[in-house]
Amino acid sequence: MKAHLWWQYGSIYQIYPRSFADSNSDGIGDLPGILTRLDYLQDIGVDAIWISPIYPSPMADFGYDVADYTDIHPLFGSMADMQALLQACHARGIRVILDFVPNHTSSEHPWFVDSRASRTSAKRDWYLWRDAKPDGSPPNNWLSVFGGSAWTWDETTRQYYYHAFLKEQPDLNWRHPRVREHMYAAMRFWLEQGVDGFRVDVLWHLIKDEEWRDNPPNPDYLPGQVPYAALIPAYSTDQPEVQGIVQEMRAILDQYDERVLIGEIYLPIHRLVTYYGTAGDGAHLPFNFQLITLPWKAGQIAAAISEYEGALPAGAWPNWVLGNHDQPRIASRVGLPQARNAAILLLTLRGTPTLYYGDELGMRDAVIFPENIQDPQGKNIGVSRDPARTPMQWSAGSNAGFSEAPPWLPLGHDYEHCNVESQTGDRASMLTLYRRLIALRRTEPALSVGSYHPIFTEGEVLAYIREAEGQRWLVALNLSPRPALLPLDAIGSGQIVIANETRRETHRVQDRLILSGDDGVLVRLD
Ligand code: NOJ
Ligand code: CA
């Protein structure tokens, strides 16, 4: 079998740094905090961490508004802390992936301060400035993801500027060669520091229609959906020209050893896969969010896996994601029993899995009182992402062992029984399930890099076989609370190695597999 790289056989763990571990008792997680928790990361067995933005930022969007691409926000630590973290991670064989936010800067970034100072500023066209329509209204109908028009009027220079997100996050003009130069220099800066790759924020947004045409209305829009969904972003996102930028980014990473380029892209499969490039020259891993966006139905998930497997260009490596800092947590979307099946799915599908911190405990969305909402998306359009960003639940102790100070977001109400300490050593816990799945993936090539064969099933059973080097594994997940049966005549017999109902482990199965409601099993086939 051909050799695979670390980002193909390994798993990635996303850390939202504000909420992982606080080292200096200000209630906000930081880099030295992460450093104190490397034993834990090594113990669960992840191969890489992706850290959400740690750059200087006014924090209008909690770091996704960058004011300096080549430094560390003092809240998170210093460059020395970053170097220490890189070294310590690498010493343990853990790679470090940084979040890179090229689509927009903070409105307080010196480039934008300069750009908005006057129409003749040398950096004026580093951003997207347009005249008002004759009636004074914005240049077109484009909407901000966070609500309202994507255009903000600047009284000083009497033009509008474009921002796909907050008005504090003006979009850069990626057609400008100087912008590219500077952003690529920032990427090189971190690669030289030793980071192992980037997760590139909203990669599909970078280039906008040169003619600024209006986006068409979305005929399927339903009241109650976010206002942004009222239009199809046909002209403001996913423009063909963006592929050239992806290639340029990739070419930069290729000058270094085994670095990984991950793209955050919310698009349908047939568009998503174009971000792999045409000749293996695009992103290594355009994030595949289907397990987040699809209903938890066996038929739909099975069809989506097959569609995705079929759509991958030659040589492209798949990947799967269950959750992130922008989405409700998996345990709150599908419930705790099914979150166990989700874990098995994530860690046994073909492709690189990305875990979201706390999901390995079955952390759930927390209740945040309206007066405590921090997230600008929550404040603006009522869809707060705070519930999925609460502090990591380390113990039942004060502030869940996250900090000695009251944390910046409230704790999940279940932290006293849902935490690392209480789940460690408990054979039936979510944490133990994650640990065992990751360990098994590491020893069984069939589960990490093996081939994928769907099994046709009826009802709510999702089943497939993974195979490599003569080893075959059956994964069978009952996505419903009702019992189900899977005939094994065409599959063969074997031994249950992991089961949600742990008492079934080591049992032999043949002829047919009985799955009680919500059960899921991993069977080593004979
Ligand atoms: C995607 C990030 O994941 C999200 O948190 C952020 O608000 C937007 N991009 C804007 O940067
Ligand atoms: Ca801190």
Side-chain angles (χ1 to χ4, degrees), residues 21-30 75-76 403:
D22 174 22
S23 72
N24 62 347
S25 310
D26 62 359
I28 299 176
D30 44 55
L75 205 57
F76 295 125
S403 171

PDB file of all heavy atoms in Angstrom, residues 21-30 75-76 403, ligand 2:
ATOM      1  N   ALA A  21      -8.172  26.154  28.311  1.00  0.00           N
ATOM      2  CA  ALA A  21      -7.523  26.125  29.630  1.00  0.00           C
ATOM      3  C   ALA A  21      -6.921  27.500  29.902  1.00  0.00           C
ATOM      4  O   ALA A  21      -6.206  28.049  29.061  1.00  0.00           O
ATOM      5  CB  ALA A  21      -6.429  25.054  29.650  1.00  0.00           C
ATOM      6  N   ASP A  22      -7.212  28.025  31.078  1.00  0.00           N
ATOM      7  CA  ASP A  22      -6.757  29.376  31.444  1.00  0.00           C
ATOM      8  C   ASP A  22      -5.597  29.265  32.438  1.00  0.00           C
ATOM      9  O   ASP A  22      -5.764  28.736  33.526  1.00  0.00           O
ATOM     10  CB  ASP A  22      -7.940  30.134  32.062  1.00  0.00           C
ATOM     11  CG  ASP A  22      -7.516  31.494  32.607  1.00  0.00           C
ATOM     12  OD1 ASP A  22      -6.473  32.018  32.157  1.00  0.00           O
ATOM     13  OD2 ASP A  22      -8.244  32.019  33.478  1.00  0.00           O
ATOM     14  N   SER A  23      -4.439  29.798  32.056  1.00  0.00           N
ATOM     15  CA  SER A  23      -3.248  29.639  32.911  1.00  0.00           C
ATOM     16  C   SER A  23      -3.053  30.796  33.875  1.00  0.00           C
ATOM     17  O   SER A  23      -2.335  30.667  34.855  1.00  0.00           O
ATOM     18  CB  SER A  23      -1.996  29.503  32.044  1.00  0.00           C
ATOM     19  OG  SER A  23      -1.689  30.762  31.451  1.00  0.00           O
ATOM     20  N   ASN A  24      -3.653  31.968  33.597  1.00  0.00           N
ATOM     21  CA  ASN A  24      -3.325  33.134  34.427  1.00  0.00           C
ATOM     22  C   ASN A  24      -4.555  33.739  35.114  1.00  0.00           C
ATOM     23  O   ASN A  24      -4.551  34.921  35.472  1.00  0.00           O
ATOM     24  CB  ASN A  24      -2.585  34.189  33.590  1.00  0.00           C
ATOM     25  CG  ASN A  24      -3.460  34.696  32.449  1.00  0.00           C
ATOM     26  OD1 ASN A  24      -4.504  34.104  32.146  1.00  0.00           O
ATOM     27  ND2 ASN A  24      -3.067  35.790  31.820  1.00  0.00           N
ATOM     28  N   SER A  25      -5.565  32.926  35.257  1.00  0.00           N
ATOM     29  CA  SER A  25      -6.730  33.292  36.080  1.00  0.00           C
ATOM     30  C   SER A  25      -7.413  34.594  35.659  1.00  0.00           C
ATOM     31  O   SER A  25      -7.820  35.384  36.506  1.00  0.00           O
ATOM     32  CB  SER A  25      -6.327  33.393  37.557  1.00  0.00           C
ATOM     33  OG  SER A  25      -5.627  32.251  37.953  1.00  0.00           O
ATOM     34  N   ASP A  26      -7.532  34.803  34.348  1.00  0.00           N
ATOM     35  CA  ASP A  26      -8.345  35.945  33.915  1.00  0.00           C
ATOM     36  C   ASP A  26      -9.663  35.463  33.301  1.00  0.00           C
ATOM     37  O   ASP A  26     -10.419  36.248  32.725  1.00  0.00           O
ATOM     38  CB  ASP A  26      -7.578  36.851  32.939  1.00  0.00           C
ATOM     39  CG  ASP A  26      -7.193  36.117  31.654  1.00  0.00           C
ATOM     40  OD1 ASP A  26      -7.501  34.905  31.533  1.00  0.00           O
ATOM     41  OD2 ASP A  26      -6.583  36.751  30.763  1.00  0.00           O
ATOM     42  N   GLY A  27      -9.916  34.165  33.390  1.00  0.00           N
ATOM     43  CA  GLY A  27     -11.188  33.628  32.905  1.00  0.00           C
ATOM     44  C   GLY A  27     -11.206  33.329  31.416  1.00  0.00           C
ATOM     45  O   GLY A  27     -12.218  32.906  30.867  1.00  0.00           O
ATOM     46  N   ILE A  28     -10.070  33.555  30.766  1.00  0.00           N
ATOM     47  CA  ILE A  28      -9.974  33.323  29.312  1.00  0.00           C
ATOM     48  C   ILE A  28      -8.825  32.358  29.037  1.00  0.00           C
ATOM     49  O   ILE A  28      -7.703  32.564  29.527  1.00  0.00           O
ATOM     50  CB  ILE A  28      -9.757  34.661  28.568  1.00  0.00           C
ATOM     51  CG1 ILE A  28     -10.959  35.592  28.829  1.00  0.00           C
ATOM     52  CG2 ILE A  28      -9.548  34.438  27.078  1.00  0.00           C
ATOM     53  CD1 ILE A  28     -10.815  36.965  28.226  1.00  0.00           C
ATOM     54  N   GLY A  29      -9.105  31.342  28.276  1.00  0.00           N
ATOM     55  CA  GLY A  29      -8.086  30.352  27.950  1.00  0.00           C
ATOM     56  C   GLY A  29      -6.940  30.984  27.176  1.00  0.00           C
ATOM     57  O   GLY A  29      -7.092  32.037  26.551  1.00  0.00           O
ATOM     58  N   ASP A  30      -5.780  30.325  27.193  1.00  0.00           N
ATOM     59  CA  ASP A  30      -4.595  30.913  26.567  1.00  0.00           C
ATOM     60  C   ASP A  30      -3.606  29.819  26.150  1.00  0.00           C
ATOM     61  O   ASP A  30      -3.839  28.635  26.416  1.00  0.00           O
ATOM     62  CB  ASP A  30      -3.936  31.901  27.540  1.00  0.00           C
ATOM     63  CG  ASP A  30      -3.870  31.336  28.951  1.00  0.00           C
ATOM     64  OD1 ASP A  30      -3.314  30.232  29.102  1.00  0.00           O
ATOM     65  OD2 ASP A  30      -4.416  31.973  29.890  1.00  0.00           O
ATOM     66  N   LEU A  75      -3.618  38.503  25.361  1.00  0.00           N
ATOM     67  CA  LEU A  75      -4.589  37.703  26.092  1.00  0.00           C
ATOM     68  C   LEU A  75      -4.254  36.211  26.016  1.00  0.00           C
ATOM     69  O   LEU A  75      -4.501  35.448  26.953  1.00  0.00           O
ATOM     70  CB  LEU A  75      -5.945  37.935  25.416  1.00  0.00           C
ATOM     71  CG  LEU A  75      -7.242  37.746  26.160  1.00  0.00           C
ATOM     72  CD1 LEU A  75      -7.300  38.623  27.388  1.00  0.00           C
ATOM     73  CD2 LEU A  75      -8.393  38.106  25.216  1.00  0.00           C
ATOM     74  N   PHE A  76      -3.697  35.797  24.887  1.00  0.00           N
ATOM     75  CA  PHE A  76      -3.372  34.378  24.680  1.00  0.00           C
ATOM     76  C   PHE A  76      -1.929  34.060  25.044  1.00  0.00           C
ATOM     77  O   PHE A  76      -1.574  32.889  25.127  1.00  0.00           O
ATOM     78  CB  PHE A  76      -3.622  33.980  23.224  1.00  0.00           C
ATOM     79  CG  PHE A  76      -5.073  34.056  22.831  1.00  0.00           C
ATOM     80  CD1 PHE A  76      -5.478  34.820  21.741  1.00  0.00           C
ATOM     81  CD2 PHE A  76      -6.042  33.355  23.537  1.00  0.00           C
ATOM     82  CE1 PHE A  76      -6.816  34.887  21.368  1.00  0.00           C
ATOM     83  CE2 PHE A  76      -7.386  33.415  23.177  1.00  0.00           C
ATOM     84  CZ  PHE A  76      -7.775  34.189  22.084  1.00  0.00           C
ATOM     85  N   SER A 403     -10.398  27.298  34.975  1.00  0.00           N
ATOM     86  CA  SER A 403      -9.770  28.555  35.391  1.00  0.00           C
ATOM     87  C   SER A 403     -10.002  28.751  36.881  1.00  0.00           C
ATOM     88  O   SER A 403     -10.927  28.163  37.461  1.00  0.00           O
ATOM     89  CB  SER A 403     -10.419  29.707  34.622  1.00  0.00           C
ATOM     90  OG  SER A 403      -9.993  30.951  35.123  1.00  0.00           O
TER      91      SER A 403
HETATM   92 CA    CA B   2      -5.912  33.518  30.512  1.00  0.00          CA
END
